Short mmCIF file of all heavy atoms in Angstrom, two decimals:
data_model
loop_
_atom_site.label_atom_id
_atom_site.label_comp_id
_atom_site.label_asym_id
_atom_site.label_seq_id
_atom_site.Cartn_x
_atom_site.Cartn_y
_atom_site.Cartn_z
N LEU N 256 0.17 16.26 3.18
CA LEU N 256 0.34 16.10 1.74
C LEU N 256 -0.26 14.79 1.27
O LEU N 256 -0.83 14.72 0.16
CB LEU N 256 1.83 16.20 1.38
CG LEU N 256 2.38 17.63 1.45
CD1 LEU N 256 3.90 17.61 1.40
CD2 LEU N 256 1.83 18.47 0.31
N ALA N 257 -0.19 13.75 2.08
CA ALA N 257 -0.87 12.50 1.73
C ALA N 257 -2.37 12.71 1.73
O ALA N 257 -3.09 12.19 0.86
CB ALA N 257 -0.47 11.41 2.72
N GLN N 258 -2.88 13.49 2.67
CA GLN N 258 -4.31 13.74 2.77
C GLN N 258 -4.85 14.44 1.52
O GLN N 258 -5.98 14.19 1.10
CB GLN N 258 -4.60 14.60 4.00
CG GLN N 258 -6.08 14.86 4.26
CD GLN N 258 -6.31 15.68 5.52
OE1 GLN N 258 -5.44 15.75 6.39
NE2 GLN N 258 -7.47 16.29 5.63
N VAL N 259 -4.04 15.32 0.91
CA VAL N 259 -4.49 16.03 -0.29
C VAL N 259 -4.03 15.34 -1.58
O VAL N 259 -4.13 15.92 -2.67
CB VAL N 259 -4.04 17.51 -0.28
CG1 VAL N 259 -4.61 18.23 0.94
CG2 VAL N 259 -2.52 17.63 -0.32
N GLY N 260 -3.53 14.12 -1.46
CA GLY N 260 -3.20 13.33 -2.64
C GLY N 260 -1.85 13.61 -3.26
O GLY N 260 -1.63 13.33 -4.44
N LEU N 261 -0.90 14.11 -2.46
CA LEU N 261 0.42 14.45 -3.01
C LEU N 261 1.56 13.72 -2.31
O LEU N 261 2.68 14.22 -2.25
CB LEU N 261 0.64 15.97 -2.92
CG LEU N 261 -0.21 16.84 -3.82
CD1 LEU N 261 0.11 18.31 -3.59
CD2 LEU N 261 0.01 16.49 -5.29
N ALA N 262 1.29 12.55 -1.80
CA ALA N 262 2.33 11.80 -1.09
C ALA N 262 3.56 11.55 -1.96
O ALA N 262 4.70 11.54 -1.45
CB ALA N 262 1.76 10.47 -0.59
N GLU N 263 3.36 11.39 -3.26
CA GLU N 263 4.48 11.08 -4.15
C GLU N 263 5.13 12.34 -4.74
O GLU N 263 6.07 12.22 -5.53
CB GLU N 263 4.00 10.16 -5.28
CG GLU N 263 3.50 8.81 -4.77
CD GLU N 263 3.05 7.90 -5.89
OE1 GLU N 263 3.04 8.35 -7.05
OE2 GLU N 263 2.70 6.74 -5.59
N ARG N 264 4.63 13.52 -4.38
CA ARG N 264 5.18 14.75 -4.95
C ARG N 264 5.74 15.68 -3.88
O ARG N 264 6.11 16.82 -4.18
CB ARG N 264 4.07 15.51 -5.72
CG ARG N 264 3.32 14.68 -6.75
CD ARG N 264 4.15 14.42 -7.97
NE ARG N 264 4.28 15.61 -8.79
CZ ARG N 264 4.99 15.65 -9.92
NH1 ARG N 264 5.66 14.57 -10.32
NH2 ARG N 264 5.08 16.76 -10.63
N MET N 265 5.87 15.21 -2.66
CA MET N 265 6.22 16.11 -1.56
C MET N 265 7.61 16.70 -1.66
O MET N 265 7.88 17.76 -1.09
CB MET N 265 6.01 15.41 -0.22
CG MET N 265 6.89 14.22 0.04
SD MET N 265 6.54 13.52 1.69
CE MET N 265 4.83 13.03 1.55
N ASN N 266 8.51 16.05 -2.39
CA ASN N 266 9.88 16.58 -2.51
C ASN N 266 10.09 17.40 -3.78
O ASN N 266 11.22 17.80 -4.07
CB ASN N 266 10.88 15.43 -2.45
CG ASN N 266 10.91 14.77 -1.08
OD1 ASN N 266 10.94 15.46 -0.05
ND2 ASN N 266 10.86 13.45 -1.04
N HIS N 267 9.00 17.66 -4.51
CA HIS N 267 9.10 18.46 -5.73
C HIS N 267 9.00 19.95 -5.40
O HIS N 267 8.30 20.36 -4.46
CB HIS N 267 7.98 18.09 -6.70
CG HIS N 267 8.19 16.76 -7.36
ND1 HIS N 267 8.13 15.57 -6.67
CD2 HIS N 267 8.45 16.44 -8.65
CE1 HIS N 267 8.35 14.57 -7.50
NE2 HIS N 267 8.55 15.07 -8.71
N LEU N 268 9.69 20.76 -6.20
CA LEU N 268 9.59 22.21 -6.09
C LEU N 268 8.29 22.68 -6.74
O LEU N 268 7.73 21.99 -7.60
CB LEU N 268 10.78 22.89 -6.77
CG LEU N 268 12.16 22.61 -6.15
CD1 LEU N 268 13.25 23.22 -7.02
CD2 LEU N 268 12.24 23.16 -4.73
N PRO N 269 7.78 23.87 -6.38
CA PRO N 269 6.54 24.36 -6.98
C PRO N 269 6.54 24.38 -8.50
O PRO N 269 5.52 24.07 -9.14
CB PRO N 269 6.41 25.77 -6.40
CG PRO N 269 7.04 25.64 -5.04
CD PRO N 269 8.22 24.73 -5.26
N ASN N 270 7.69 24.72 -9.14
CA ASN N 270 7.70 24.78 -10.60
C ASN N 270 7.67 23.40 -11.25
O ASN N 270 7.60 23.29 -12.48
CB ASN N 270 8.90 25.60 -11.11
CG ASN N 270 10.25 24.96 -10.80
OD1 ASN N 270 10.33 23.85 -10.28
ND2 ASN N 270 11.33 25.67 -11.11
N GLU N 271 7.72 22.35 -10.44
CA GLU N 271 7.60 20.99 -10.94
C GLU N 271 6.18 20.42 -10.72
O GLU N 271 5.94 19.25 -10.98
CB GLU N 271 8.61 20.09 -10.23
CG GLU N 271 10.06 20.51 -10.48
CD GLU N 271 11.05 19.75 -9.61
OE1 GLU N 271 10.74 19.47 -8.43
OE2 GLU N 271 12.15 19.46 -10.11
N LEU N 272 5.28 21.28 -10.26
CA LEU N 272 3.91 20.87 -9.96
C LEU N 272 2.94 21.58 -10.88
O LEU N 272 3.18 22.72 -11.33
CB LEU N 272 3.57 21.19 -8.51
CG LEU N 272 4.46 20.57 -7.42
CD1 LEU N 272 4.06 21.12 -6.06
CD2 LEU N 272 4.36 19.05 -7.43
N SER N 273 1.80 20.94 -11.14
CA SER N 273 0.73 21.59 -11.90
C SER N 273 0.02 22.61 -11.02
O SER N 273 0.22 22.66 -9.79
CB SER N 273 -0.28 20.55 -12.38
OG SER N 273 -1.00 20.01 -11.26
N GLY N 274 -0.84 23.44 -11.64
CA GLY N 274 -1.59 24.42 -10.86
C GLY N 274 -2.43 23.77 -9.78
O GLY N 274 -2.47 24.25 -8.64
N GLY N 275 -3.11 22.70 -10.12
CA GLY N 275 -3.93 22.01 -9.13
C GLY N 275 -3.11 21.44 -8.00
O GLY N 275 -3.53 21.47 -6.83
N GLN N 276 -1.92 20.91 -8.33
CA GLN N 276 -1.05 20.37 -7.28
C GLN N 276 -0.53 21.48 -6.38
O GLN N 276 -0.44 21.31 -5.16
CB GLN N 276 0.10 19.60 -7.93
CG GLN N 276 -0.33 18.29 -8.57
CD GLN N 276 0.77 17.65 -9.40
OE1 GLN N 276 1.67 18.33 -9.89
NE2 GLN N 276 0.69 16.34 -9.57
N LYS N 277 -0.20 22.64 -6.97
CA LYS N 277 0.25 23.77 -6.15
C LYS N 277 -0.85 24.18 -5.18
O LYS N 277 -0.58 24.47 -4.01
CB LYS N 277 0.62 24.95 -7.04
CG LYS N 277 1.87 24.76 -7.87
CD LYS N 277 2.09 25.95 -8.79
CE LYS N 277 3.26 25.72 -9.72
NZ LYS N 277 3.43 26.83 -10.69
N GLN N 278 -2.10 24.21 -5.65
CA GLN N 278 -3.18 24.61 -4.75
C GLN N 278 -3.40 23.57 -3.66
O GLN N 278 -3.75 23.92 -2.52
CB GLN N 278 -4.46 24.85 -5.54
CG GLN N 278 -5.53 25.65 -4.80
CD GLN N 278 -5.05 27.03 -4.38
OE1 GLN N 278 -4.18 27.16 -3.50
NE2 GLN N 278 -5.63 28.05 -4.99
N ARG N 279 -3.19 22.31 -3.97
CA ARG N 279 -3.29 21.27 -2.93
C ARG N 279 -2.21 21.45 -1.87
O ARG N 279 -2.45 21.27 -0.67
CB ARG N 279 -3.21 19.88 -3.55
CG ARG N 279 -4.46 19.49 -4.32
CD ARG N 279 -4.29 18.16 -5.06
NE ARG N 279 -5.49 17.84 -5.80
CZ ARG N 279 -6.49 17.10 -5.34
NH1 ARG N 279 -6.42 16.58 -4.10
NH2 ARG N 279 -7.55 16.85 -6.07
N VAL N 280 -1.01 21.83 -2.30
CA VAL N 280 0.06 22.13 -1.34
C VAL N 280 -0.36 23.31 -0.46
O VAL N 280 -0.18 23.30 0.76
CB VAL N 280 1.38 22.45 -2.06
CG1 VAL N 280 2.44 22.91 -1.05
CG2 VAL N 280 1.88 21.23 -2.82
N ALA N 281 -0.95 24.33 -1.09
CA ALA N 281 -1.39 25.51 -0.33
C ALA N 281 -2.46 25.14 0.68
O ALA N 281 -2.48 25.67 1.80
CB ALA N 281 -1.90 26.58 -1.29
N ILE N 282 -3.36 24.24 0.30
CA ILE N 282 -4.40 23.80 1.23
C ILE N 282 -3.79 23.01 2.38
O ILE N 282 -4.15 23.20 3.55
CB ILE N 282 -5.47 22.99 0.49
CG1 ILE N 282 -6.25 23.91 -0.47
CG2 ILE N 282 -6.43 22.31 1.48
CD1 ILE N 282 -7.15 23.16 -1.44
N ALA N 283 -2.84 22.13 2.06
CA ALA N 283 -2.16 21.38 3.12
C ALA N 283 -1.46 22.32 4.08
O ALA N 283 -1.52 22.15 5.31
CB ALA N 283 -1.15 20.40 2.50
N ARG N 284 -0.81 23.35 3.54
CA ARG N 284 -0.14 24.34 4.40
C ARG N 284 -1.15 25.07 5.28
O ARG N 284 -0.89 25.32 6.46
CB ARG N 284 0.61 25.34 3.52
CG ARG N 284 1.36 26.41 4.29
CD ARG N 284 2.01 27.41 3.35
NE ARG N 284 1.01 28.06 2.50
CZ ARG N 284 1.32 28.80 1.43
NH1 ARG N 284 2.58 28.98 1.09
NH2 ARG N 284 0.36 29.36 0.71
N ALA N 285 -2.31 25.40 4.71
CA ALA N 285 -3.34 26.10 5.48
C ALA N 285 -3.84 25.25 6.65
O ALA N 285 -4.27 25.79 7.67
CB ALA N 285 -4.50 26.47 4.57
N LEU N 286 -3.80 23.95 6.50
CA LEU N 286 -4.30 23.04 7.54
C LEU N 286 -3.24 22.69 8.59
O LEU N 286 -3.56 22.02 9.58
CB LEU N 286 -4.79 21.74 6.89
CG LEU N 286 -6.03 21.84 6.00
CD1 LEU N 286 -6.22 20.55 5.21
CD2 LEU N 286 -7.27 22.12 6.84
N ALA N 287 -2.01 23.14 8.39
CA ALA N 287 -0.89 22.64 9.18
C ALA N 287 -1.11 22.74 10.68
O ALA N 287 -0.88 21.78 11.43
CB ALA N 287 0.40 23.37 8.79
N ASN N 288 -1.56 23.88 11.16
CA ASN N 288 -1.72 24.09 12.60
C ASN N 288 -3.12 23.75 13.11
O ASN N 288 -3.52 24.21 14.18
CB ASN N 288 -1.37 25.54 12.96
CG ASN N 288 0.12 25.75 13.14
OD1 ASN N 288 0.80 24.93 13.75
ND2 ASN N 288 0.63 26.84 12.59
N ARG N 289 -3.85 22.96 12.32
CA ARG N 289 -5.22 22.58 12.66
C ARG N 289 -6.07 23.81 12.98
O ARG N 289 -6.67 23.92 14.07
CB ARG N 289 -5.25 21.60 13.83
CG ARG N 289 -4.55 20.27 13.53
CD ARG N 289 -4.63 19.31 14.71
NE ARG N 289 -4.06 18.02 14.37
CZ ARG N 289 -2.77 17.70 14.54
NH1 ARG N 289 -1.94 18.59 15.06
NH2 ARG N 289 -2.32 16.51 14.21
N PRO N 290 -6.16 24.75 12.04
CA PRO N 290 -6.89 25.99 12.31
C PRO N 290 -8.38 25.74 12.43
O PRO N 290 -8.93 24.79 11.86
CB PRO N 290 -6.58 26.85 11.08
CG PRO N 290 -6.37 25.86 9.99
CD PRO N 290 -5.65 24.71 10.65
N ALA N 291 -9.04 26.62 13.15
CA ALA N 291 -10.49 26.53 13.28
C ALA N 291 -11.19 27.04 12.03
O ALA N 291 -12.34 26.68 11.76
CB ALA N 291 -10.95 27.33 14.49
N LEU N 292 -10.50 27.89 11.25
CA LEU N 292 -11.12 28.57 10.13
C LEU N 292 -10.17 28.57 8.93
O LEU N 292 -9.00 28.91 9.07
CB LEU N 292 -11.45 30.01 10.53
CG LEU N 292 -12.00 30.96 9.47
CD1 LEU N 292 -13.36 30.51 8.98
CD2 LEU N 292 -12.07 32.39 10.02
N ILE N 293 -10.70 28.21 7.75
CA ILE N 293 -9.97 28.32 6.49
C ILE N 293 -10.60 29.43 5.67
O ILE N 293 -11.82 29.43 5.43
CB ILE N 293 -10.01 27.01 5.69
CG1 ILE N 293 -9.28 25.88 6.42
CG2 ILE N 293 -9.42 27.21 4.28
CD1 ILE N 293 -7.79 26.02 6.44
N LEU N 294 -9.78 30.39 5.22
CA LEU N 294 -10.23 31.47 4.34
C LEU N 294 -9.56 31.28 2.99
O LEU N 294 -8.32 31.25 2.91
CB LEU N 294 -9.85 32.83 4.92
CG LEU N 294 -10.45 33.19 6.29
CD1 LEU N 294 -9.89 34.51 6.78
CD2 LEU N 294 -11.98 33.25 6.21
N ALA N 295 -10.36 31.15 1.94
CA ALA N 295 -9.83 30.89 0.60
C ALA N 295 -10.29 32.00 -0.34
O ALA N 295 -11.48 32.19 -0.56
CB ALA N 295 -10.31 29.54 0.09
N ASP N 296 -9.34 32.75 -0.89
CA ASP N 296 -9.64 33.88 -1.77
C ASP N 296 -9.45 33.45 -3.22
O ASP N 296 -8.32 33.26 -3.68
CB ASP N 296 -8.72 35.05 -1.43
CG ASP N 296 -9.16 36.34 -2.10
OD1 ASP N 296 -10.19 36.34 -2.80
OD2 ASP N 296 -8.46 37.36 -1.92
N GLU N 297 -10.55 33.30 -3.96
CA GLU N 297 -10.54 32.87 -5.36
C GLU N 297 -9.63 31.64 -5.55
O GLU N 297 -8.71 31.65 -6.38
CB GLU N 297 -10.08 34.00 -6.27
CG GLU N 297 -10.98 35.23 -6.25
CD GLU N 297 -12.28 35.04 -7.03
OE1 GLU N 297 -12.52 33.93 -7.54
OE2 GLU N 297 -13.05 36.01 -7.13
N PRO N 298 -9.86 30.56 -4.79
CA PRO N 298 -8.92 29.42 -4.82
C PRO N 298 -8.87 28.69 -6.15
O PRO N 298 -7.93 27.91 -6.39
CB PRO N 298 -9.45 28.51 -3.71
CG PRO N 298 -10.91 28.81 -3.64
CD PRO N 298 -11.00 30.30 -3.90
#
């Protein structure tokens, strides 16, 4: 979450985040297990 610029928003619920912040959370989640491949559908 710090890597995607959300260090100060990590304890917020999704409805307390903007659309861009929600997508950053989704990207952070996608990276969690250090995957070899990221697939993004209309991100």
